[in-house]
Amino acid sequence: MIDVQENEVRQICKELLSDCYLTIDFNSIPFSVTLVFISNIERKKVVVQCNGISTFKLDKNADEYPFYSVFEVNLEKIDGEWVINVLPEIDLTIVCKKIAISTDVLSDSQLIEYGLLK
């Protein structure tokens, strides 16, 4: 995972996260949360790790579905903190001190594992 700059974040959101699926790893909450996006635009997985969380708001039961459909992801830096908003099927807002992002190209077997290829 690499720390990112704002222009890199905008590029990733625009190119990969305007139509995707999301899973959330709560294993380290309240200290960090990992968001795993599977892009429908490209065969890529985008992992966003949020550290130093000051706000976490989720308006959907996390156990309801394994994946959430996502059509809008906004990541922006405001007053030194990252603000992440994910819509529409899940209304998720996270405010954190630091984010790290990694991207990976997915193989056919990984897409099958995620149920996105038959």
Side-chain angles (χ1 to χ4, degrees):
M1 290 240 194
I2 57 167
D3 293 330
V4 291
Q5 301 297 320
E6 286 183 75
N7 58 345
E8 293 172 291
V9 169
R10 278 192 222 95
Q11 185 86 10
I12 289 169
C13 286
K14 180 181 174 185
E15 292 180 4
L16 300 175
L17 302 182
S18 61
D19 182 8
C20 59
Y21 292 100
L22 167 67
T23 61
I24 304 171
D25 179 355
F26 294 101
N27 290 334
S28 299
I29 202 163
F31 306 107
S32 72
V33 171
T34 303
L35 307 176
V36 179
F37 296 94
I38 307 299
S39 176
N40 284 324
I41 298 167
E42 294 188 30
R43 299 169 57 113
K44 290 194 176 178
K45 173 171 75 170
V46 178
V47 178
V48 179
Q49 184 171 2
C50 311
N51 295 302
I53 297 169
S54 59
T55 302
F56 184 91
K57 184 186 109 206
L58 175 64
D59 282 344
K60 188 108 171 177
N61 183 346
D63 297 324
E64 198 168 330
Y65 303 107
F67 290 102
Y68 300 102
S69 293
V70 173
F71 298 110
E72 183 179 345
V73 177
N74 296 307
L75 285 100
E76 59 184 325
K77 202 164 195 177
I78 301 173
D79 296 330
E81 291 191 309
W82 287 96
V83 179
I84 304 161
N85 292 298
V86 180
L87 298 166
E89 190 175 271
I90 182 174
D91 183 3
L92 173 65
T93 301
I94 300 172
V95 178
C96 60
K97 297 273 184 222
K98 187 175 180 182
I99 64 170
I101 296 179
S102 67
T103 60
D104 240 351
V105 175
L106 295 172
S107 66
D108 285 347
S109 62
Q110 288 171 309
L111 289 171
I112 290 168
E113 179 183 323
Y114 286 114
L116 302 174
L117 186 65
K118 296 179 183 187

